């Protein structure tokens, strides 16, 4: 007879989520930290100073190199992604039916404004 009719528990042991390429749980691998600085490329010294000011204002760490060759392309995508990252959105929970009304009447919400 086949094994599938007599299941005796989990047949294969599952691996931990980080063992096979799951999300990074180590907070020190955050890009822009001292251990993992951003790698940025700019095309002039004046632009380098502007980018250094942005990095310092955001309290990040970066290695900025200047590429003065003709046709060089500026690469600051990592920095713009971190600077444009949105904050945490929190919403106010609406009152339930049996909570006290927010208008200050002292009645339940369902009897007053609900």
């Amino acid at each position: 007879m086949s094994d599938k009719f007599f299941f005796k528990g989990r047949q294969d042991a599952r691996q931990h989520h980080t063992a096979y390429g799951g999300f990074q749980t180590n907070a020190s691998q955050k890009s822009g930290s001292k251990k993992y600085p951003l790698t940025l490329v700019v095309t002039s010294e004046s632009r380098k100073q502007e980018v250094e000011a942005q990095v310092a204002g955001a309290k990040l760490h970066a290695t900025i190199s200047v590429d003065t060759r003709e046709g060089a392309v500026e690469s600051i995508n990592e920095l713009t992604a971190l600077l444009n990252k949105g904050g945490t959105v929190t919403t106010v929970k609406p009152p339930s039916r049996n909570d006290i009304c927010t208008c200050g009447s002292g009645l339940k919400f369902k009897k007053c404004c609900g």
Side-chain angles (χ1 to χ4, degrees), residues 27-64:
S28 67
Q29 291 184 353
K30 179 180 171 186
S31 61
S33 63
K34 278 188 179 182
K35 192 172 183 181
Y36 298 98
L38 299 171
T39 305
L40 308 174
V41 178
V42 293
T43 55
S44 67
E45 284 293 328
S46 61
R47 182 69 176 140
K48 180 180 179 181
Q49 292 174 356
E50 292 174 12
V51 172
E52 284 176 345
Q54 287 180 344
V55 168
K59 297 179 182 173
L60 298 171
H61 297 276
T63 54
I64 304 170

Side-chain angles (χ1 to χ4, degrees), residues 31 66 72 74 88 95 104:
S31 61
V66 178
E74 193 172 80
T88 305

Side-chain angles (χ1 to χ4, degrees), residues 69-111:
R69 294 180 295 169
E70 190 171 325
V73 179
E74 193 172 80
S75 173
I76 58 168
N77 295 336
E78 296 176 0
L79 178 64
T80 55
L82 284 176
L83 293 179
N84 294 336
K85 188 175 173 182
T88 305
V89 177
T90 56
T91 59
V92 178
K93 180 183 155 197
S96 65
R97 297 190 59 202
N98 291 324
D99 287 343
I100 295 175
C101 190
T102 56
C103 70
S105 65
L107 298 172
K108 289 184 178 182
F109 181 74
K110 67 181 178 183
K111 299 254 183 182

